[in-house]
Amino acid sequence: MKNKVLPSFEAAVADVPDGSTIMVPGFGTPGTPRNLMSALVDQGATNLATISNSVNRDIAVLVEARRVRKVYCAFTAPTHPSRETPFVRMYNNDEIDAELVPQGTLAERIRAAGAGIGAFYTPTSVGTELAEDKEHREINGRTHVLEYALPADYAFIRAWRADTFGNLQFRFAQRNFNPIMAMAADVTVVEVEHEIVDAGGIDPDCIHVPGVYVDRIVKIPPEGIFD
Amino acid sequence: MKNKVLPSFEAAVADVPDGSTIMVPGFGTPGTPRNLMSALVDQGATNLATISNSVNRDIAVLVEARRVRKVYCAFTAPTHPSRETPFVRMYNNDEIDAELVPQGTLAERIRAAGAGIGAFYTPTSVGTELAEDKEHREINGRTHVLEYALPADYAFIRAWRADTFGNLQFRFAQRNFNPIMAMAADVTVVEVEHEIVDAGGIDPDCIHVPGVYVDRIVKIPPEGIFD
Amino acid sequence: MADKPRLSRQAMCDRIAMEFQDGWVVNLGVGIPTLCSNYVDPSRDIIYHSENGVIGYGPLAPEGEEIPHLVNAGAQKVTAAPGMAIVHHADSFSLIRGGMIDATVMGAYEVSENGDFANWRFPERKGGGIGGAMDLAACAKRVFIALVHNTRDGKPKLLHRCQLPITAPGVVTMVVTDLGLFDVTPEGFQVRELAPGWTPEEVQEHTEAELAVPDTIPEFRLRA
Amino acid sequence: MADKPRLSRQAMCDRIAMEFQDGWVVNLGVGIPTLCSNYVDPSRDIIYHSENGVIGYGPLAPEGEEIPHLVNAGAQKVTAAPGMAIVHHADSFSLIRGGMIDATVMGAYEVSENGDFANWRFPERKGGGIGGAMDLAACAKRVFIALVHNTRDGKPKLLHRCQLPITAPGVVTMVVTDLGLFDVTPEGFQVRELAPGWTPEEVQEHTEAELAVPDTIPEFRLRA
């Protein structure tokens, strides 16, 4: 089996071109690809789009460096107006584009991209401002809105364990958006927290992302764990 | 945690009313709920609809007893005309209804029912007879057809291991349709091949069906393994 | 006007949690609602679900016993309850949209007597913070709202109609505030219980929507 | 007319398998195509996928070493290759629709020069046996067809246009029969290799579609 392990985060993100769309998982700290994001800051790509739950601290670095043209996420304003971030100020000044997507719709749009589903109907957001410009359809007596698949060029993944072929496991809430983003992106790059074992070293019944979805793997050194 | 273990297959299927729609997983032998299907034969419910990959031998028993009004599956004719079954004869004589669904669309329709997605667009079947009466839509330069969620009243599940709360694990190809059917049905009934452990006895990261989807569990006695 | 004492946030959440039935799957929103899990009734098993795919978490982790990978929707370190299961984000919202959440408890800026509520955006500003609230609001079997009865400058939050962009229409069935417990019925807000010492007239003074008041009002149930 | 010897089914599948490139994910249909996995080239790792969610199975299990729970799409007991992963049926077809299958090899009743093929239904009978063929045909990166060149009563299967209901339009890129290997090009079937001893004219006699014939035709590659 192909060995997909690379020696450095730098090598793993070296080819990311300007203009790329990048999926960044994580919900709170667990499952956030902090080392790959840090390497991307150093790498210099700009005019990026990001897909994530929120504009987390790693995405914020890129945003504040004006290297992100658009974010897709479930939070484009602080819940408390006092907690205003540079991203929120830039967004209110039209210096960056953003698309606000309900979290479940975001997850399903990412999943649809990976699953070859062009679009789907969900009851979420019906009757709200977010549904105003969307196509509506009654299905089984319930109103749904049409939502489209949301693909990406790259997914940066944070896993607990990998084998050299790229089969991945996550630990507890670290899983979150990681598997669906790995499925949805053209290129999936993984930082591995705990260990990288030989191909076949993970129970086939306990693999959360099959290796066919994974392109590059880097082991996180002890100083990069960050939790 | 609630203990969902019942003493017999008979008890587990006792309440299935006439007219029910029942999901029956399995692909070849692995993951087929043979004991629950056998108990359903004895239980007597009729006017049933089934959702499955094929009219397998257990569904065939119900079909031949004229207790099934409709089947949804990926095979309504034999690949070789010589291999004609009683079901195929009945279908050609209009004695039973059937809906032929491409296997991936079948899986996705079941998954949509469990996931609260009313309908979705897939590229599968475009340009074929099966798409003739369906809504078409161009998405990102590709033609898709609209397919609707396919829910059920009951799912009969065959698992490898369960805990008493209903968290389930499958072994290898036994998994197939089982997890998505467990999610899609109102009532999920499980036959367990290997063992039932205390709640918490299965690694939370290696659970294929969360117990919240499971209603009833029965341990298969050694003579019911059938493999 | 010097108000009488109001209910604590913990008392509000205790009261909501008393409504949870044995075996329910419950999703607690960020903020006040997370306090619901501090109310423990050993006669009932409640399965707490978090948007990030944790099904069946336990109380907050004691200091020193945190597992860095186990957090709830508010990114608080929690413990594992026996029988906990983990799924990914799409499966977690499949569970929500699929109708498996028996009750969700959320905070709100406003609730209206027709069951609308608003908790994600102020229209004078661009954008909003929706998180998983719209999915939960549209798809949970019961939507309970926990909010303080008035804004800091005394404005009411239980309204005839929401002024802010709503999160979902007509879904709220019960509201707890620091002044009482209210059912949302076809006739609007129905007083169920009031904070100790408060009369219906006093609470009405702090409320825009008209409250339906039964003949007898039981005392607000506090933790034993 | 007493025909010359034709290629064996194994030789047909060997030749298809020689087209698989290192690292490809390949789905083999039931019937003739399953023989492709008997061709082993140690310089290439092929990941065999089966519709039931097995990603990376190995050769058929030797007698006495079968694992009852590990079967391929033809319900044959197979072995696990190192790095095998299991997913459920919806995830398995997500992989197919998502474009992760580099090549699928399927049997067919008919193939036409415009890349259509038919393998699921005879219109004089109700119903059909579609299985996962439409998903694979519509979404795999390459669709290869393996079929004997003529029916038992000598009718051609490589046609100008399919007569039977098709499985997908315009997707076939390569066809192997017991008479040769053919590319499906904008100009129709292009002869790539022919069965030993057969001339283009002889094969054309057994074929409805007009074959494009290059100046030189390499010999059909057989297993070394």
Side-chain angles (χ1 to χ4, degrees):
Chain A
M1 306 291 279
K2 187 173 176 185
N3 184 323
K4 301 171 183 173
V5 179
L6 294 184
S8 71
F9 301 112
E10 188 187 354
V13 306
D15 71 347
V16 176
D18 290 353
S20 299
T21 298
I22 301 175
M23 288 178 165
V24 185
F27 187 99
T29 302
T32 306
R34 304 211 60 199
N35 296 279
L36 291 167
M37 289 300 288
S38 172
L40 184 64
V41 169
D42 296 342
Q43 188 260 12
T46 189
N47 192 31
L48 303 169
T50 60
I51 298 171
S52 62
N53 186 53
S54 67
V55 179
N56 63 33
R57 53 191 158 179
D58 298 299
I59 297 173
V61 172
L62 288 167
V63 166
E64 290 165 37
R66 301 189 178 268
R67 288 163 55 185
V68 180
R69 69 175 187 283
K70 180 165 186 178
V71 298
Y72 298 83
C73 59
F75 298 91
T76 57
T79 23
H80 296 275
S82 57
R83 288 196 216 138
E84 193 172 81
T85 61
F87 157 70
V88 168
R89 272 194 299 277
M90 288 169 66
Y91 181 47
N92 276 281
N93 292 336
D94 295 325
E95 294 165 19
I96 186 169
D97 193 10
E99 181 172 332
L100 180 66
V101 188
Q103 195 174 132
T105 299
L106 181 67
E108 191 67 10
R109 289 178 66 188
I110 294 165
R111 189 261 173 196
I117 296 298
F120 58 87
Y121 288 97
T122 175
T124 296
S125 86
V126 168
T128 77
E129 217 179 270
L130 284 187
E132 274 169 15
D133 298 327
K134 290 178 179 160
E135 275 189 53
H136 287 61
R137 181 186 289 261
E138 293 290 316
I139 301 171
N140 264 338
R142 184 148 201 215
T143 310
H144 292 67
V145 295
L146 182 63
E147 297 279 358
Y148 289 88
L150 186 60
D153 302 307
Y154 290 83
F156 289 175
I157 299 300
R158 165 86 160 226
W160 173 248
R161 179 187 282 115
D163 71 15
T164 53
F165 181 62
N167 290 305
L168 305 183
Q169 283 185 316
F170 303 91
R171 191 158 183 259
F172 298 143
Q174 188 184 50
R175 199 180 315 181
N176 62 72
F177 285 92
N178 279 282
I180 53 176
M181 289 181 168
M183 291 169 61
D186 286 345
V187 179
T188 294
V189 188
V190 184
E191 58 176 69
V192 179
E193 194 167 320
H194 180 58
E195 61 177 348
I196 301 175
V197 300
D198 289 340
I202 303 181
D203 179 350
D205 284 325
C206 291
I207 288 169
H208 300 130
V209 173
V212 290
Y213 288 111
V214 168
D215 299 283
R216 304 166 194 167
I217 309 166
V218 184
K219 176 72 180 73
I220 304 172
E223 66 273 19
I225 300 297
F226 287 129
D227 279 324
Chain B
M1 305 292 277
K2 186 173 178 185
N3 184 325
K4 300 172 183 173
V5 179
L6 293 185
S8 71
F9 301 113
E10 189 188 351
V13 306
D15 71 346
V16 177
D18 291 351
S20 298
T21 298
I22 302 175
M23 288 177 166
V24 185
F27 188 99
T29 302
T32 306
R34 304 212 59 199
N35 297 278
L36 291 167
M37 288 301 286
S38 171
L40 184 64
V41 170
D42 296 341
Q43 188 258 13
T46 189
N47 193 31
L48 302 169
T50 60
I51 298 170
S52 62
N53 185 53
S54 66
V55 179
N56 63 33
R57 54 191 158 180
D58 298 299
I59 297 174
V61 172
L62 289 166
V63 166
E64 291 166 35
R66 299 188 179 270
R67 287 163 56 185
V68 180
R69 70 174 189 284
K70 180 164 186 179
V71 298
Y72 298 82
C73 59
F75 298 91
T76 58
T79 23
H80 297 275
S82 58
R83 289 195 215 137
E84 194 173 81
T85 61
F87 157 69
V88 168
R89 274 194 298 278
M90 289 170 65
Y91 180 48
N92 276 279
N93 293 335
D94 294 325
E95 293 166 19
I96 187 170
D97 193 10
E99 181 172 332
L100 180 66
V101 188
Q103 196 174 130
T105 300
L106 181 67
E108 191 66 10
R109 290 179 65 189
I110 294 165
R111 190 261 173 195
I117 296 298
F120 57 88
Y121 289 98
T122 174
T124 296
S125 88
V126 169
T128 77
E129 216 179 271
L130 283 186
E132 275 169 14
D133 298 327
K134 291 178 178 159
E135 276 189 52
H136 287 62
R137 181 186 288 262
E138 292 290 315
I139 301 171
N140 264 339
R142 184 149 201 213
T143 309
H144 293 67
V145 295
L146 181 63
E147 298 279 358
Y148 289 88
L150 185 61
D153 302 306
Y154 289 84
F156 289 176
I157 298 301
R158 165 88 160 225
W160 173 248
R161 180 186 281 116
D163 72 15
T164 54
F165 180 62
N167 290 304
L168 305 182
Q169 283 184 315
F170 303 91
R171 191 158 183 260
F172 297 143
Q174 187 183 52
R175 199 181 314 182
N176 61 74
F177 284 92
N178 279 282
I180 54 176
M181 288 182 169
M183 290 169 62
D186 286 346
V187 178
T188 295
V189 189
V190 184
E191 58 176 69
V192 179
E193 194 166 320
H194 179 59
E195 62 177 347
I196 301 175
V197 301
D198 288 342
I202 303 180
D203 179 349
D205 285 325
C206 291
I207 288 169
H208 300 131
V209 174
V212 290
Y213 288 111
V214 169
D215 298 282
R216 304 166 194 167
I217 310 166
V218 184
K219 176 74 180 72
I220 303 173
E223 65 274 18
I225 301 296
F226 288 129
D227 279 323
Chain C
M1 181 171 73
D3 267 357
K4 300 178 185 175
R6 296 179 174 222
L7 295 163
S8 71
R9 291 172 181 211
Q10 186 61 57
M12 290 162 55
C13 288
D14 286 354
R15 185 62 193 84
I16 287 258
M18 290 175 203
E19 297 290 308
F20 301 161
Q21 298 302 305
D22 189 38
W24 274 17
V25 182
V26 172
N27 183 294
L28 301 178
V30 178
I32 299 179
T34 54
L35 298 173
C36 290
S37 63
N38 290 339
Y39 179 82
V40 178
D41 175 349
S43 76
R44 305 177 199 178
D45 277 318
I46 308 300
I47 299 142
Y48 288 110
H49 166 263
S50 171
E51 290 93 305
N52 57 349
V54 182
I55 308 170
Y57 63 85
L60 292 184
E63 207 179 309
E65 295 175 33
E66 298 96 344
I67 300 168
H69 304 88
L70 191 53
V71 300
N72 65 12
Q76 297 169 304
K77 303 276 195 303
V78 292
T79 51
M84 180 176 78
I86 306 291
V87 296
H88 62 52
H89 235 87
D91 281 348
S92 181
F93 280 85
S94 291
L95 189 140
I96 292 171
R97 276 191 316 268
M100 300 299 291
I101 302 290
D102 292 290
T104 181
V105 187
M106 281 191 265
Y109 308 141
E110 300 174 347
V111 191
S112 60
E113 62 191 16
N114 60 349
D116 297 356
F117 76 105
N119 76 350
W120 67 285
R121 121 158 252 238
F122 296 98
E124 68 274 15
R125 301 168 64 88
K126 260 179 101 171
I130 190 59
M134 277 191 188
D135 306 276
L136 284 158
C139 302
K141 288 184 194 161
R142 297 168 190 84
V143 178
F144 298 159
I145 299 292
L147 78 179
V148 295
H149 205 91
N150 299 99
T151 63
R152 278 185 199 172
D153 45 357
K155 289 191 187 134
K157 295 181 175 181
L158 273 52
L159 306 177
H160 177 60
R161 286 292 178 270
C162 287
Q163 300 303 304
L164 297 170
I166 65 171
T167 307
V171 296
V172 179
T173 57
M174 195 175 74
V175 179
V176 70
T177 76
D178 49 359
L179 293 186
L181 184 71
F182 308 88
D183 287 323
V184 180
T185 74
E187 286 72 45
F189 291 109
Q190 167 105 22
V191 174
R192 179 126 67 106
E193 298 171 12
L194 290 181
W198 285 75
T199 67
E201 296 72 23
E202 289 165 342
V203 174
Q204 181 66 69
E205 275 175 36
H206 290 76
T207 310
E208 183 203 279
E210 194 176 340
L211 300 173
V213 182
D215 291 341
T216 58
I217 302 175
E219 198 159 307
F220 194 92
R221 285 173 59 198
L222 299 169
R223 191 190 289 218
Chain D
M1 180 174 72
D3 265 358
K4 301 177 185 174
R6 294 180 175 221
L7 295 163
S8 71
R9 292 176 181 209
Q10 185 61 57
M12 290 161 55
C13 286
D14 285 354
R15 185 62 193 84
I16 287 258
M18 291 175 202
E19 298 290 306
F20 301 160
Q21 299 301 306
D22 189 38
W24 274 17
V25 181
V26 172
N27 182 294
L28 301 178
V30 178
I32 299 178
T34 54
L35 298 174
C36 291
S37 63
N38 290 339
Y39 179 83
V40 177
D41 174 349
S43 75
R44 305 178 198 177
D45 277 318
I46 307 301
I47 299 142
Y48 287 110
H49 166 264
S50 170
E51 290 92 305
N52 57 348
V54 182
I55 308 170
Y57 63 85
L60 293 183
E63 208 178 307
E65 293 175 35
E66 297 96 344
I67 300 168
H69 302 88
L70 191 53
V71 299
N72 66 12
Q76 297 169 303
K77 303 274 195 302
V78 292
T79 51
M84 180 177 77
I86 306 290
V87 297
H88 63 53
H89 235 86
D91 281 349
S92 180
F93 279 85
S94 291
L95 189 140
I96 292 171
R97 275 190 316 268
M100 301 299 290
I101 303 290
D102 293 289
T104 181
V105 186
M106 281 191 266
Y109 309 140
E110 300 174 347
V111 191
S112 59
E113 63 191 17
N114 60 349
D116 297 356
F117 75 107
N119 76 349
W120 68 283
R121 121 158 253 239
F122 297 98
E124 67 275 15
R125 301 168 64 88
K126 262 180 98 171
I130 189 60
M134 277 191 188
D135 306 276
L136 284 158
C139 302
K141 288 184 194 161
R142 296 168 191 85
V143 178
F144 298 159
I145 299 293
L147 79 177
V148 294
H149 204 89
N150 298 99
T151 64
R152 280 185 199 172
D153 45 357
K155 288 191 189 135
K157 295 182 176 179
L158 272 53
L159 307 177
H160 176 60
R161 285 293 178 271
C162 287
Q163 300 302 303
L164 297 170
I166 65 171
T167 306
V171 296
V172 179
T173 57
M174 194 176 74
V175 179
V176 71
T177 76
D178 48 359
L179 295 186
L181 184 71
F182 309 87
D183 287 323
V184 181
T185 74
E187 286 72 45
F189 292 110
Q190 166 105 22
V191 174
R192 179 126 68 108
E193 298 171 12
L194 290 181
W198 286 75
T199 67
E201 295 73 22
E202 288 164 342
V203 173
Q204 180 67 68
E205 274 174 37
H206 290 76
T207 309
E208 184 203 278
E210 194 178 339
L211 301 173
V213 181
D215 291 340
T216 57
I217 302 175
E219 199 160 307
F220 192 92
R221 285 173 60 199
L222 299 169
R223 191 191 291 218

